[in-house]
Amino acid sequence: MPVSPSPLLADYVSVKPRFGRSVHLERDLAVAASADGYFLTTSALEALQGVLRAQANPADRALSLIGPYGAGKSAFAAFLARLTSDAAFRATVTLPTTVGTLVPQLLPVPVVGSRSALAPALLAALRHALEAAPGAAAMPAALRKAESKPSARNIANAYLATAETIAENTPFQGLLLLVDEAGKYLEYAANHPQEGDIFVLQELAEAAARAPEHGQLWVMTIMHQNAEAYAHRLGRTQQGEWAKVAQRFRQLPLFPSDVERMDLIGRALQHQPALHLNGTFSAQLAPVMSPAANLLPTGLADRFPDLARAAYPLHPVTLLALPVLFRRAGQSHRSVFNFLEGQENSAMGRFLQEQRYNTADPAFFRLDRLFDYGRDVLLAHYTGPTARPWHEAVEIVEQSTAKNPPLTELAVRVLKCVALLSWLRESRLPASAAVLAAALGAEVPEAIKQLEDRSLIVWSRTRKSFRLWEGGDVDVAAELTAARASLAGDVLLLAANDPSLFELPRLVARRHAFRTGTVMATAN
């Protein structure tokens, strides 16, 4: 009777679907469960607190949410929209006591950016939100006027009038205008300055500041950079005008930390109840948790065991290195989630599909495989400021593994880890013997010795870590040592004073110059 193969690791670990897709604000707000399961990270909570401070100060109700690509800005906007518009959803969200009483009730008006004029998109979104609002409020005359004459002032007045209409006929206190990917509109405005789209934002910001409490208007633009950065190709006068418009919006940064990324990785992974690590995980975690290793960020020691367990099958050292790698590559949450479920070479999604689940010895996604993913996928076409060191490291690893006699499998894995950690230059993760042993196991010292004997890695006293040997075919240090040994003791001293080899500097008599006013120079 044939023996059935052991199950795949993918049968026990998977990525939750909501983490694998990008957010489209208009589409997702039409679905009642769009923000269900949203995790309010530390940076998102700070942004939320920044938004809600404007409840007490109407002058601050024009806001710009700024953060890198894939940082979760659109997801935060969807969460904010549901928090302010859905009372049932708000009841399920646990917020700090300082925030919970400040949440207004607002009707969201979502707009998703495109490289086109902003004014028509604002009017279309406002009409759609008004028609979909409960209570069937009548269309204000100001909105009809703006549609016939779409000037910046008319559009702002239409939003003010609609906010008051909504406040009078629905449970909402006003409007929340959310312009996602606003940078696309600004790019279009910079290329077509004659259309004056940028001044629509100025009028909306000023309207938000003067809107009454019973008819509030909140405006939030969501971008990757400051508004004035899109005007770099315009003239100096126009750049100044854009800067004045940008100053009317209070900036809210959304820049996730490495610890937040580690936390989100664990929340994105779903473990089946039948998954058992049988003490193997604790053995892998122990060297990382050692105070002598000093691998963990400050204040993370108590939380890290839970974070690392939730992130299985990532090895604990891999979990520490992963956010650093994506940060150095200029990537963020979205790229991390693509790695978790991707089927590319060395992606974790493929690892789950290929790896068998062994209850006695569960497999881990280790640091050397993360190097492979960076080489083949993440950094394959990297052109950033540190591209040259990375591609040189990849070339050195490939050349070293092709030499004869071949390296052992463990030595190759250690070499990849040294290459990755050297490029990351993270002070908490040096390519030291302790970190390498924590990442790959107790047999690492033998592999390190083999690599040193083959002159593939060298110990750096200044960095206190191993690095790849980047020398050529000639051992310059050895040649210099041999040359010095063949010289007499006074040869170097004579050479240093030989004017035919070293041109001696001219000497200026400074005291003579001070006393007489005449510069006198002598040559040795």
Side-chain angles (χ1 to χ4, degrees), residues 67-73 224 254-262 264-265 321-340 344 370 373-374 377-386 423-424:
Y69 288 94
K73 300 184 300 297
H224 304 300
L254 186 65
F255 290 87
S257 67
D258 289 351
V259 175
E260 288 181 30
R261 292 191 180 98
M262 285 187 251
L264 283 175
I265 289 170
L322 187 66
V324 184
L325 172 62
F326 280 81
R327 170 165 49 82
R328 289 269 286 170
Q331 304 296 319
S332 194
H333 292 347
R334 190 177 304 160
S335 298
V336 173
F337 298 142
N338 290 340
F339 158 76
L340 293 179
E344 302 90 349
L370 188 61
Y373 181 77
V377 182
L378 185 66
L379 299 170
H381 305 287
Y382 178 58
T383 57
T386 57
W423 184 75
L424 293 180

Side-chain angles (χ1 to χ4, degrees), residues 12-289:
Y12 295 87
V13 182
S14 59
V15 179
K16 297 174 184 176
R18 72 171 302 271
F19 288 91
R21 64 177 183 87
S22 59
V23 175
H24 187 279
L25 200 56
E26 292 177 348
R27 177 197 65 203
D28 288 3
L29 286 183
V31 180
S34 59
D36 287 353
Y38 180 80
F39 173 62
L40 200 61
T41 63
T42 301
S43 59
L45 178 59
E46 291 175 354
L48 178 62
Q49 291 173 329
V51 171
L52 298 181
R53 287 192 198 102
Q55 180 71 345
N57 187 7
D60 286 341
R61 290 178 183 170
L63 307 158
S64 283
L65 184 68
I66 297 176
Y69 288 94
K73 300 184 300 297
S74 299
F76 173 81
F79 169 78
L80 178 64
R82 285 205 62 195
L83 184 70
T84 56
S85 64
D86 189 340
F89 175 78
R90 185 162 55 247
T92 65
V93 178
T94 302
L95 296 175
T97 55
T98 55
V99 173
T101 59
L102 299 176
V103 180
Q105 286 186 285
L106 303 170
L107 177 68
V109 183
V111 181
V112 177
S114 62
R115 289 179 176 84
S116 60
L118 174 59
L122 290 173
L123 292 173
L126 182 58
R127 172 181 276 273
H128 182 269
L130 181 61
E131 293 174 347
M139 183 178 296
L143 177 54
R144 289 194 294 270
K145 180 180 179 180
E147 289 178 332
S148 61
K149 296 181 179 180
S151 66
R153 179 63 58 84
N154 288 345
I155 293 173
N157 289 338
Y159 268 83
L160 279 174
T162 304
E164 293 186 22
T165 300
I166 288 294
E168 291 172 358
N169 296 278
T170 72
F172 300 108
Q173 298 171 263
L175 297 178
L176 171 62
L177 171 61
L178 296 165
V179 186
D180 195 11
E181 299 186 37
K184 293 182 179 179
Y185 288 121
L186 296 182
E187 289 173 358
Y188 179 86
N191 292 327
H192 303 81
Q194 69 280 1
E195 297 189 16
D197 260 3
I198 187 68
F199 298 108
V200 177
L201 295 177
Q202 176 179 337
E203 291 289 346
L204 285 170
E206 294 173 353
R210 67 176 185 268
E213 282 302 298
H214 192 67
Q216 300 176 19
L217 176 60
W218 297 58
V219 181
M220 175 182 283
T221 60
I222 302 162
M223 297 181 289
H224 304 300
Q225 57 185 348
N226 299 332
E228 60 265 32
Y230 294 92
H232 66 280
R233 294 181 180 177
L234 299 177
R236 185 170 299 176
T237 301
Q238 289 174 308
Q239 289 182 11
E241 292 174 350
W242 280 57
K244 292 177 182 178
V245 174
Q247 289 169 5
R248 286 172 166 80
F249 288 79
R250 181 161 57 88
Q251 293 185 4
L252 297 174
L254 186 65
F255 290 87
S257 67
D258 289 351
V259 175
E260 288 181 30
R261 292 191 180 98
M262 285 187 251
D263 197 354
L264 283 175
I265 289 170
R267 294 177 183 275
L269 296 176
Q270 183 171 346
H271 295 167
Q272 297 299 321
L275 176 68
H276 299 291
L277 302 181
N278 301 324
T280 305
F281 176 80
S282 298
Q284 300 296 328
L285 183 63
V288 179
M289 295 297 299

Side-chain angles (χ1 to χ4, degrees), residues 479-504:
E479 294 295 333
L480 286 174
T481 301
R484 289 193 185 100
S486 65
L487 297 175
D490 58 347
V491 171
L492 292 179
L493 181 61
L494 293 174
N497 291 278
D498 187 346
S500 64
L501 298 176
F502 301 98
E503 184 178 354
L504 299 177

